Each structure stands twice: as structure tokens, then as C-alpha cells.
Amino acid sequence: MSNNSKQWSSANPGYIIFLIDQSGSMGEDYTGGKNKAEFTSLVINRTINDLIFTNSAGDKIKDRVFISLIGYGGKGGNSVDDIRSDYLSAFADSPLRIEKIKKKVSDGAGGLVEIEEEMAMYVEPTCPRNGLTPMAEALDFAKQLIEGWITKKPDNPAPVIINVSDGMPYTGSNPIDDIEKTISTANSIMNINTGDGNPLIFNVHLGQPPFNETKFSSTENEVSDEEGKILFKISSKVPETYREAARKHEFVTDVDSRGFVSNAGPETLIKFINFGSSGGTDRII
């Protein structure tokens, strides 16, 4: 069995599932006047736009990847919401809306100039105050999606889950049960066998300033906080095929590194999502 080395292609598309924490705490300030929910949705929207651009040939979008956007807590309580599941071309054809985004670019003389660019939006930020963190339930839904996908497409690249959260799994009941259920559900996903190895789970835990980041740890001892330790436990080891992508985004990895960042600041969040959604190295045909 190969180890997460199959190339994404139109014939054998990859599959990325974004699990997006939309609990009440995602309303906390994060960066540049944006809260965690707003910045996270901006990064995911930009990533989808980048994937569309990368997979464009003239006017045609090559469907080399299928994307599911799954929110949890965003409709209040323990909701798990299939926001959208589509091939790239369908995302490109029908965004929710187009937004003007301010962006700083080089002025060619060593300075920066602010420009406005239009960006297609596919997921809206939401973080209702009564939104809890049903992470195990979101993972269980992702597991069902993966099982359905590999039944239909057994020869495709192994699916990748990218989970963005700022806290512990919590459903309002027993926190220890929530944690155990989250870990066991994640393990059951990481033990699914496909022709390309096991599905991958990468986790990014959003921090608070001054962002005491821990990146791609090899052991749980390197992680200082409880939320981080739980997410470390449910993160896949970075396959060899993804280590070049990690290096491109200035992450240092070794053979035991997990695809996980704790207390991530804004720049690290952007780089981590680019790494996780890269299909490993740029192995796109």
C-alpha cells in the first residue's frame, strides 16, 4: 500500500474536508480587527480561490479536488452543518458572493501599497454565543463522508481533514466523555485503509496574542496546553510526501512530526492551511 503518494488528477481527484469550529469563542478578537471566525473564513475562502486558480487551464477548471466545508457549533448548540460539498469547478461557478478585500502588495520600490481585489466567498463567518464545540460529532460526520467517498473512489488519493479550532471538544455534557469520543473517532478515521494509505487529519489550534506557538511537534511533551495536547493526539504523522510542502511553508518536520500547530497566530494559520490543502508536494497532473 502506498503512503499518501497518489497524485491528484482529474481522473482521480483528491478530497479535502475542512472542519470549521464555529463555537461562541470563535468570536474572540484575533488580528487586524477581525475575530477568529472572520479570519478563519477569509483564509479558507482564499485557499479555495487559490486552488481554483492553480487548477485552471484557460477557461476550464480541472476538477482535481473535491472539497467539503463542515461547520460545527455554527447553528447553535451541537449543530454540525454540511455548508457545502462540491468539485472545484462548481465552487468557481457559484460563489456565495464576491467581496472586495484590501490587500497590501509591493510598490516595486521597497514599500507596500494597499489595493482592493475581488474575492469569491464560499463560507461565511459565524460564531453564535450559544455555539458549543461538538468536535467528535463533526469528525464522525467527516468519517461518513470519507467512507462514502472511498466506496465510490477506492483508487483515489487518501482524503485529508483540516480541522481549525480554538478550543476543547465540548457538548455541554461530560467533558471527559467529549474528549474520549473525539480521540476514538479520530483514531477510527486514521485507521481506515485506502489504496493510498490512511486518511490524514491535520489540526490547527488558534491562539491568543502573544501566540506561544508549537509547530509540528513529535511528542505530546512539547505541547504546553490541554487543548493542544488533545489536538496533538488526533493529528496524523506528516507523511514523507507532505514534508516538502511543509518545508516550503517554513515548517521544520522530522519523521515523527504530527500535522499540528498549537496557539497559531494569523501567519501560521495561513501557512498551515496552505500546507494541508497542497495535496502533499505540488503533485498535480
Side-chain angles (χ1 to χ4, degrees):
M1 184 178 292
S2 57
N3 183 20
N4 307 99
S5 58
K6 281 200 171 172
Q7 295 179 316
W8 291 0
S9 66
S10 300
N12 292 299
Y15 185 17
I16 298 174
I17 299 174
F18 288 102
L19 295 186
I20 308 162
D21 182 346
Q22 297 180 322
S23 60
S25 58
M26 291 290 283
E28 293 169 357
D29 287 346
Y30 189 57
T31 184
K34 288 185 166 55
N35 65 28
K36 291 174 176 177
E38 290 165 339
F39 193 79
T40 297
S41 71
L42 184 65
V43 175
I44 292 172
N45 283 316
R46 181 158 299 208
T47 300
I48 295 170
N49 280 294
D50 286 349
L51 285 167
I52 290 166
F53 178 76
T54 307
N55 291 283
S56 296
D59 292 337
K60 190 175 184 319
I61 313 294
K62 296 194 173 183
D63 279 328
R64 295 173 177 140
V65 63
F66 189 88
I67 298 172
S68 287
L69 303 173
I70 311 300
Y72 54 103
K75 291 194 169 167
N78 291 314
S79 58
V80 175
D81 180 27
D82 185 354
I83 299 165
R84 185 165 185 181
S85 291
D86 260 328
Y87 280 104
L88 268 187
S89 60
F91 277 96
D93 289 343
S94 55
L96 292 174
R97 59 191 171 82
I98 305 291
E99 187 171 298
K100 285 189 163 58
I101 303 283
K102 287 184 165 49
K103 184 181 180 184
K104 288 187 168 65
V105 295
S106 168
D107 64 2
L112 291 173
V113 58
E114 194 168 78
I115 61 163
E116 266 194 347
E117 66 171 6
E118 291 194 336
M119 191 164 90
M121 309 298 273
Y122 303 100
V123 55
E124 299 284 14
T126 179
C127 47
R129 283 189 181 166
N130 65 340
L132 299 178
T133 315
M135 199 180 291
E137 290 72 12
L139 283 163
D140 188 59
F141 185 62
K143 182 185 178 188
Q144 293 171 47
L145 293 175
I146 286 171
E147 287 171 342
W149 174 263
I150 61 178
T151 300
K152 293 195 205 90
K153 300 184 182 295
D155 299 324
N156 285 40
V160 180
I161 293 173
I162 302 174
N163 180 36
V164 184
S165 176
D166 76 329
M168 297 266 210
Y170 183 61
T171 61
S173 54
N174 184 327
I176 292 169
D177 287 352
D178 285 337
I179 291 165
E180 286 178 353
K181 193 175 167 194
T182 299
I183 293 169
S184 69
T185 307
N187 283 335
S188 68
I189 292 170
M190 293 189 282
N191 285 324
I192 292 171
N193 288 315
T194 80
D196 186 39
N198 308 112
L200 299 171
I201 304 179
F202 297 141
N203 287 278
V204 55
H205 165 242
L206 303 186
Q208 294 285 96
F211 303 119
N212 179 26
E213 296 181 336
T214 310
K215 306 174 197 175
F216 290 79
S217 308
S218 299
T219 69
E220 199 182 314
N221 302 337
E222 296 169 32
V223 184
S224 56
D225 56 281
E226 284 313 301
E227 294 101 324
K229 284 181 191 293
I230 292 157
L231 291 177
F232 175 86
K233 285 186 172 85
I234 65 168
S235 297
S236 301
K237 283 189 181 177
V238 179
E240 184 62 41
T241 46
Y242 275 74
R243 287 181 62 194
E244 173 60 21
R247 194 184 64 74
K248 266 190 193 167
H249 292 100
E250 300 168 353
F251 293 127
V252 177
T253 61
D254 62 34
V255 290
D256 291 319
S257 292
R258 304 278 183 111
F260 160 71
V261 175
S262 180
N263 288 308
E267 282 190 29
T268 299
L269 172 62
I270 293 167
K271 288 177 181 177
F272 187 85
I273 288 184
N274 283 337
F275 150 79
S277 60
S278 66
T281 51
D282 298 333
R283 295 170 291 103
I284 293 175
I285 53 175

